[in-house]
């Protein structure tokens, strides 16, 4: 379980928020790759559910990201999705589907006047714990 802050460059945070806004009213989703605790690349994916309440990655796109990450010496370190009209906290479905304790789960909420982005890790008991996000200088 990762407890050190996740380093996400501001341009990638901005890209996640922009994707979430562009895909309204549906949830947006994607993967983040990098090394250690530092995100280096954002991969927006298609929400094949086309739903404002849940998402599923396109399996072919997901596999392509995995191959590209390996080829560039990176790994998938986080996945993200948006909550168009609810807070940036894991829903019951998010918790149920968060099966990988080795990656970070990021949620961006568009429910308030300003977007809110938060990160979470999977706990051994099946719960989720907040994780700090920092933008490297």
């Amino acid at each position: 379980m990762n407890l050190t802050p996740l380093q996400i460059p501001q341009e990638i945070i901005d890209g996640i928020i922009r994707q979430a806004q562009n895909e309204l009213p549906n949830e947006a989703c994607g993967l983040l790759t990098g090394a250690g605790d530092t995100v280096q690349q954002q991969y927006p994916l298609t929400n094949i559910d086309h739903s404002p309440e849940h998402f599923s990655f396109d399996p072919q796109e997901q596999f392509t990201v995995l191959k590209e990450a390996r080829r560039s010496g990176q790994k998938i370190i986080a996945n993200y999705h948006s909550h168009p009209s609810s807070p940036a906290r894991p829903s019951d479905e998010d918790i149920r589907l968060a099966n990988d304790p080795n990656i970070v789960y990021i949620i961006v909420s568009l429910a308030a006047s300003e977007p809110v982005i938060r990160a979470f890790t999977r706990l051994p008991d099946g719960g989720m714990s907040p994780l700090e996000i920092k933008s490297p200088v």
Side-chain angles (χ1 to χ4, degrees), residues 1-80:
M1 179 175 64
N2 181 357
L3 296 177
T4 57
L6 186 63
Q7 305 285 326
I8 307 177
Q10 188 61 49
E11 62 267 16
I12 291 178
I13 291 172
D14 294 344
I16 293 168
I17 292 169
R18 191 169 38 257
Q19 178 192 359
Q21 292 168 331
N22 290 341
E23 295 192 21
L24 285 171
N26 295 326
E27 288 192 2
C29 59
L31 296 169
L32 302 175
T33 63
D37 297 315
T38 302
V39 171
Q40 297 169 326
Q41 184 74 42
Q42 173 193 3
Y43 291 91
L45 299 181
T46 302
N47 176 359
I48 61 173
D49 292 341
H50 305 287
S51 168
E53 297 173 357
H54 50 86
F55 74 98
S56 295
F57 293 137
D58 177 299
Q60 185 58 50
E61 291 176 355
Q62 194 174 7
F63 184 64
T64 299
V65 171
L66 181 61
K67 288 192 312 189
E68 286 184 25
R70 285 182 178 161
R71 189 172 27 248
S72 64
Q74 299 179 21
K75 64 178 185 165
I76 294 171
I77 58 177
N79 71 38
Y80 66 88

Side-chain angles (χ1 to χ4, degrees), residues 24-25 27 52-53 82-87 108-112:
L24 285 171
E27 288 192 2
E53 297 173 357
S82 63
H83 283 181
S85 58
S86 60
V108 59
S109 171
L110 301 177

